[in-house]
Amino acid sequence: MGKNNVPKYVYYFGGKHADGKGDMKNLLGGKGAGLAEMTNLGIPVPPGFTITTEVCTAFYEHDRKWPEGLEEEIRENLTRLEEEMGAKFADPVNPLLLSVRSGARVSMPGMMDTVLNLGLNDTTAQGLIKRSGNPRFVYDSYRRFVHMYSDVVLEVPHEAFEEAIAAKKAARGVKLDMDLTADDLKELVEEYKDIARKHTGKEFPEDPWEQLRGSINAVFSSWNNQRAITYRKINGIPGDWGTAVNVQTMVFGNMGETSGTGVAFTRDPATGENVFYGEYLMNAQGEDVVAGIRTPHPISDLKAAMPEIYAELEQIYLTLERHYKDMQDIEFTIQDGRLFMLQTRTGKRTGTAAVRIAVELVEEGLIDKKTAVLRVPPAQLDQLLHPMIDAKAKTNVIAKGLPASPGAAVGRVVFTAAAAEEWNSRGEKVVLARTETSPEDIGGMHAAAGILTSRGGMTSHAAVVARGMGTCCVAGCGSLIISEKDKKITCGDLTISEGDWITLNGSTGEVILGQVPLVEPELTGNFGKMMEWADEFRALNIRTNADTPQDAKQARVFGAEGIGLCRTEHMFFAEDRIRAMREMILSDTEEQRRAALAKLLPYQKGDFMGIFREMDGLPVTIRLLDPPLHEFLPSLDQTKQIEELASDMGIHVQKVRDSIGALHELNPMLGFRGCRLGVVFSEIYEMQTKAIFEAACELVREGVNVMPEVMIPLVGTTGEIEMIREYVVRVADETIEEYGVDLDYMVGTMIEVPRAALVADKIAESAEFFSFGTNDMTQMVFGYSRDDAGKFLGEFIDRNVLKHDPFQSLDQEGVGQMVAMGVERGRSTRPNLKIGVCGEHGGDPDSVEFFHEVGLDYVSCSPYRVPIARLAAAQAEIKQPRK
Amino acid sequence: MGKNNVPKYVYYFGGKHADGKGDMKNLLGGKGAGLAEMTNLGIPVPPGFTITTEVCTAFYEHDRKWPEGLEEEIRENLTRLEEEMGAKFADPVNPLLLSVRSGARVSMPGMMDTVLNLGLNDTTAQGLIKRSGNPRFVYDSYRRFVHMYSDVVLEVPHEAFEEAIAAKKAARGVKLDMDLTADDLKELVEEYKDIARKHTGKEFPEDPWEQLRGSINAVFSSWNNQRAITYRKINGIPGDWGTAVNVQTMVFGNMGETSGTGVAFTRDPATGENVFYGEYLMNAQGEDVVAGIRTPHPISDLKAAMPEIYAELEQIYLTLERHYKDMQDIEFTIQDGRLFMLQTRTGKRTGTAAVRIAVELVEEGLIDKKTAVLRVPPAQLDQLLHPMIDAKAKTNVIAKGLPASPGAAVGRVVFTAAAAEEWNSRGEKVVLARTETSPEDIGGMHAAAGILTSRGGMTSHAAVVARGMGTCCVAGCGSLIISEKDKKITCGDLTISEGDWITLNGSTGEVILGQVPLVEPELTGNFGKMMEWADEFRALNIRTNADTPQDAKQARVFGAEGIGLCRTEHMFFAEDRIRAMREMILSDTEEQRRAALAKLLPYQKGDFMGIFREMDGLPVTIRLLDPPLHEFLPSLDQTKQIEELASDMGIHVQKVRDSIGALHELNPMLGFRGCRLGVVFSEIYEMQTKAIFEAACELVREGVNVMPEVMIPLVGTTGEIEMIREYVVRVADETIEEYGVDLDYMVGTMIEVPRAALVADKIAESAEFFSFGTNDMTQMVFGYSRDDAGKFLGEFIDRNVLKHDPFQSLDQEGVGQMVAMGVERGRSTRPNLKIGVCGEHGGDPDSVEFFHEVGLDYVSCSPYRVPIARLAAAQAEIKQPRK
């Protein structure tokens, strides 16, 4: 509160003391708080004052008028500023110039407006020329001001000014703004004013006070420009926060060769290395660095060029880093040999840098482990786990799809799974390009270094499987026409044929022509330390989704504490197995089905033994067959396959066709799959159960610690789980008795059908564990087919109808309610119910935090997401400890 | 309680007084209570006693042993019986014979066991022969007893006995049991005993007490035979209710030509006419009537044959009907010229009879209107609303499908919608036979008298549309192979070709060869009265689902109070409209789409004018476009249609093919449809809104009272409804202003996506009404595609994994929770929110009762279900009045 209990509207900073402090971001905005804090630290900051965010709110509440008393406070602070600077605003002899900048609570880069060099008019310009003896500098500043003010305050389209300066340079035969003379610039000032006059119908304002009022109002107004509104919506920033306005003494990097401006990071934001990193430009204002017309120098050059300034800057950055205990992103201006700091804020960084900086700050004693763990955005870890495109390489990006599975891959293009396997067996690195993939492509997907599809979303088959395998994938790249038939990719005029080299960046979705050098990941060192600390804090267990011993092994390397989802259907697609599977499907009687299943049993048993062995001592959740049976049959247009199948089985081709037709479904996602198969054809699940327990029992005899958890998919009613549980337990117990071993196991269910969450209390009576299948649950709660939603989900997010893709990050408002309900109701009848999640969301940090909050025991995600989940779980526990 | 505070196990009836009463069904079972009540009314009932249902429960709780004191009580009651009858159980001179019958709280016909003629052995048989002087009667009874006791108590397979009697008849050269002599029957008794001995390894029990104990235990045990367990599961009867046992003096209809047995109804159970209706057989026991070996006489013949008996029977049935105030189903036996009543219970009846009896009982002053309204099962009304197959006609049923839309249809078979329309235009009655129907078949479905499909469930397209139109439909008749290509139906060896006559019974699912005579419905008279009474009581409003003025008109006749669902997509399939629709879909730009939509606007406007006019003064809820766009395009194999379309639009065939391919969806149910179209292509909904309000405004000018309610389908998020509501309101207000009329309207949403129910509080902020789309909600809450679930739903119900088809009757346990949640949350932010339901469940009586209970304002159903819903709503209010 200011005097007389009216709110204090304006906070002064200068003379080594500020009214505000660094923790007053809500009131002063990020920039204002940073300027106040630097002032208090004794760092040279051009003095000025901050008009608070509350004024912005009041401005909007009162029809865009200033609250009473604001003008008076501004005048008081301006007087204080004039006294400190020994110059006067609007003074013809010794004029004080100002910058006016926005500054919200959180950085909204480029979204709001700025006016520099404010206070110039024809009179003050003359005063400044006399005092500085530098007419070129003054007219350069003046033309910048007229341009910027016209653009920002008067809303004159900026193209007109750019055309005017371009014409001037052409007329003078020069290339750079720098090469224009004082006279050229003086002429430009007049030309600019003409442009403004023509557009507004009024004279350009000469009165500095009018300029100041206009600029302050323009900054407030820019809080609600369309750009800023959209940015806030996307980033979830409330519209009533408002922006502060920073009015600051103008310092000039464009006063000549002893002046300049620069930006720097206190550590390398790409690698995290503890070196001072940045660039600067002499005789320039900040905007010139951004414009990229001249090439800036690396900050290290400043050491030689201006050793004293560099030493001072070094002292300041070290002070700031120690003060903020984090890497800072700073802006500075050198005015005629004197250093001024214009901004400090926490610097953005890569995942690699985030880990290294956090770990080294702990080692330097600046922060503790908890803080370090909170410092790394978990999703950034992804960058550390995959080969990456060398940041220094030049790339020829020809198309951009969805970043479906991170990492990078270089390979020669092939168009069929068979070709991928064949080329791979010859030692070739390949990228498998398909319109979309299907379960039959699994072999080829395994063989490929990267996968590219022209159709399908972030949770399409290709994307899900690729993430599961940790293989780089760019999905749904709609601008490519991939023709499997012609073995070529068409991209505009460009054609890529079989065998051509391409590079995929699965972290950005870029498709790059040719071979680009890659950098390999390192999992020890800083990364290892960070993971170790995360594990010290977290409450959630982290499991993995793995279908093969290889995946299981990889996941253990990444720290998985069990398998939360082992799908059994992928096991049926191999050449030697698919035949028996098809025989089973085409059988007419239970007897025939049992005979065919008997052929599959040894394969399944072998698969399970491999996985159990890898996961010795850790629980393994095995999901019984889930997909609809037609996925295992050829499609009706695969005439040759159908004929072979008929001939193999000794039945008529038409019978095969009829069976395929009969199994066809309009909405297979909602069809005859999951436990519905187990109800109608109990012999399938019985075989799988037998295979699981024979495998487990044999290993128990060998001394392996096997912890099987049998999971029944797609349960929606108590009838289903009661019926299936009954025979699973029977077969399991019979098998264990047969082998005469001791073996504990669990039988539980997926909770993915919405109805299952609604009746979770009843289902829990027959289930020892729940595993939320939030992929399918999202499909059903939203009514979105993940295979088809790509047609509109992008539009929905663009139009802000959806905040994010609910297949990537759990929809906590809707689907989250079902999860919370399932947990609460499930535990109401079985308090010790073990509960996990095995959808894609298990590896999404926001979702992991939610799962922690609703009390899950574990999350399960693809192997490459395990470290991310470990870190996210640690952060969740630190933020909201479980009692 | 009996003496000494131990429970009373046995209730005596006889001598014009019974220990029990008619309202003690829970304790005495239905039969026992009826016998007690008749005894108390002074009606001649063979005396006896009832062992309570509690004994049955105790029997199971104590390892199938009798509770202490039971035997003593039985002996006491038997002594009382012997005294009353002047005969003694097991007495060699004057033996008392008994019947032992089950009797649960509710009738479980044929599920449990009965033993008759108990107490016979070689000694008592001689006594009985001496007393009756009728050895044939005695041996007839004796052989019946040995057979029945062996079957029921000793579990000897009954075939052996049937073979023995068949052999005896063959040996004697006679055809009927009646023609066997006393000696033949005596021999049979011995042969039967041999059979029993061989099977059990023991002598057939001669001790009447052992026989009695065995029979009582057999009845108790039969409560838990597989048949009874299954019946109870299906009918929701608790397993712990138990059965009572009725031990009664045996009376004999087989004593000769002055003896007999019969069953009758106090009114005609088929028509409800107030006439005594039934049949009897002389010299027989009850089982002979059922066995159907001899043809029984109509009950009216008894008047001439035994006038005194008939008069007595008449007196009794009138007494019973007046006493029970409902039509009774009675059983009687005449023993040597003396009448005994063996049973009375409320009689089963047809819908027509139910209405007539209820109305006439009110007119006779026996019951009040509320009681009458409760007397008619609403689903039975269906029988009154459609043409029915004449019950007297002989039919040749060749197959049975699902009873998808009630009524009957006779017509000549055609295989395409075009043929149906063409034949119909020639005045031919046709039945449209298709593998399954699609929206393109609408015209032909309208033209057909009946629809037959070989694929699809109760909520397949054919079924839903047929019910909506009130057209008879048999769906999913899997035993027929319908070939549209060859224009024939194959059914085993039988082939039905185009033009052949068939008859469909949509109420039973029967497909009948040839033409069967039909009976037309009558909607006035008793039916009209019943409906009038129902309307006096109900709280729910009843609306209809109607897409055409004809449907709307029909529904008003049936009493609809508005349209709850007017689908707009069916309007686009007519020849002249589909072209513009396709043009719209194949457009590349918004501008092209708007141009195509402008062509559709006049059609839509005309449709709406027709409907609004019919519904003058009643609300009309119009759902904006819902299905995915690909439904309006030809499929990829319709080469000719694609070529025509390309040529019409002047574009390349490949472009049409590409568009069809691009719109293809793997799970269209969960795809790009409903309000998702309205988000991405707002111009579609804008056109529809404009058409609605132009139509409404023009009619307002004409003085029609139009009450439009615009309904946005498939909303799952607040973003969707906020965005669409904004432009719908804008277009509506602009149009109203343009016309300068006064018009109130509402904008609301379907609640069908589960997520919508979860966030109903937020959605209600932008919706003035909710309409639950429980069809789609059932699909998503269960994860069942209604088009595909036919593959397993039948099995699920057969295996008792599901209690009923959730598409026919609302799943109150699961989907019902979502409905209740939507209602509660919606009204939490908008207390006056209008809420209805417009799924198929709106016409299902159980579901209507649920919707009444959760507080909906209305239900909407197909026109032919409106009367059913009116009655169900009245019953719901009577059972559970809204405060």
Side-chain angles (χ1 to χ4, degrees), chain A residues 662 664 666-670 676 720 753 755 758 762 781-783 785 788 791 796 811 813 817 825, chain B residues 662 664 666-670 676 720 753 755 758 762 781-783 785 788 791 796 811 813 817 825:
Chain A
H664 170 76
L666 287 174
N667 297 289
M669 158 67 205
L670 305 176
R676 298 163 196 177
E720 290 161 336
V753 171
R755 195 179 188 285
L758 291 167
K762 290 171 193 159
V781 167
F782 272 93
S785 160
D788 303 311
K791 287 196 178 62
F796 268 45
D811 161 48
E813 187 188 39
Q817 281 193 52
R825 294 185 182 181
Chain B
H664 171 75
L666 287 174
N667 295 290
M669 159 68 204
L670 306 176
R676 298 162 196 178
E720 290 162 336
V753 171
R755 195 178 188 284
L758 292 166
K762 291 171 192 158
V781 167
F782 272 93
S785 161
D788 303 310
K791 287 197 177 60
F796 268 45
D811 162 48
E813 187 187 40
Q817 280 194 51
R825 294 185 181 182

Side-chain angles (χ1 to χ4, degrees), chain B residues 405-422:
Chain B
S405 179
V410 181
R412 302 177 67 183
V413 178
V414 293
F415 293 90
T416 64
E421 291 189 75
E422 191 208 318

Side-chain angles (χ1 to χ4, degrees), chain B residues 483-711:
Chain B
S483 167
E484 282 96 355
K485 200 174 108 245
D486 303 336
K487 297 196 181 171
K488 63 177 189 191
I489 302 173
T490 316
C491 174
D493 299 334
L494 186 73
T495 300
I496 298 168
S497 305
E498 190 176 52
D500 289 354
W501 285 93
I502 62 170
T503 301
L504 302 181
N505 188 343
S507 308
T508 61
E510 287 168 342
V511 180
I512 303 159
L513 204 62
Q515 292 173 265
V516 180
L518 303 186
V519 191
E520 285 302 313
E522 199 200 334
L523 299 181
T524 52
N526 295 323
F527 175 82
K529 241 173 232 164
M530 180 59 67
M531 285 294 100
E532 197 181 287
W533 297 344
D535 291 349
E536 285 174 22
F537 298 119
R538 73 186 152 85
L540 272 177
N541 280 316
I542 312 298
R543 296 197 189 181
T544 191
N545 302 346
D547 306 345
T548 64
Q550 298 88 298
D551 284 353
K553 193 172 180 179
Q554 175 69 71
R556 273 197 107 149
V557 170
F558 284 143
E561 298 165 307
I563 291 183
L565 174 62
C566 172
R567 301 176 197 84
T568 53
E569 49 269 18
H570 293 166
M571 302 175 181
F572 293 125
F573 282 104
E575 176 71 28
D576 44 350
R577 305 169 178 200
I578 187 78
R579 187 172 298 180
M581 189 68 186
R582 288 172 172 176
E583 198 178 311
M584 192 277 290
I585 296 168
L586 295 173
S587 295
D588 288 321
T589 65
E590 185 181 326
E591 200 184 346
Q592 288 172 357
R593 268 193 303 277
R594 286 195 185 271
L597 285 164
K599 296 183 196 167
L600 288 168
L601 189 137
Y603 293 120
Q604 285 252 301
K605 183 174 161 184
D607 293 329
F608 293 136
M609 285 183 75
I611 289 167
F612 285 145
R613 209 187 290 277
E614 286 297 342
M615 298 308 278
D616 188 0
L618 295 177
V620 176
T621 306
I622 294 169
R623 182 175 72 182
L624 300 178
L625 193 71
D626 187 51
L629 296 180
H630 56 73
E631 283 198 10
F632 299 95
L633 295 180
S635 65
L636 274 177
D637 53 8
Q638 294 179 297
T639 310
K640 205 178 139 210
Q641 285 208 42
I642 290 173
E643 283 166 5
E644 279 173 14
L645 183 53
S647 137
D648 280 355
M649 287 193 55
I651 56 179
H652 200 280
V653 167
Q654 192 54 44
K655 180 169 162 49
V656 178
R657 292 196 159 274
D658 287 349
S659 294
I660 295 171
L663 284 172
H664 171 75
E665 294 184 312
L666 287 174
N667 295 290
M669 159 68 204
L670 306 176
F672 186 29
R673 53 173 282 243
C675 72
R676 298 162 196 178
L677 299 169
V679 168
V680 178
F681 303 124
S682 62
E683 53 275 13
I684 301 178
Y685 281 7
E686 285 176 26
M687 180 280 282
Q688 293 197 295
T689 306
K690 194 146 185 62
I692 292 167
F693 285 92
E694 286 192 358
C697 290
E698 289 200 13
L699 290 179
V700 170
R701 282 188 181 163
E702 289 180 23
V704 178
N705 182 4
V706 189
M707 303 165 70
E709 301 180 347
V710 181
M711 182 157 74

Side-chain angles (χ1 to χ4, degrees), chain A residues 707-728:
Chain A
M707 302 164 72
E709 302 179 346
V710 180
M711 182 156 75
I712 303 164
L714 212 70
V715 164
T717 64
T718 47
E720 290 161 336
I721 185 148
E722 283 169 8
M723 175 189 171
I724 295 171
R725 181 194 168 80
E726 188 275 321
Y727 69 67
V728 165

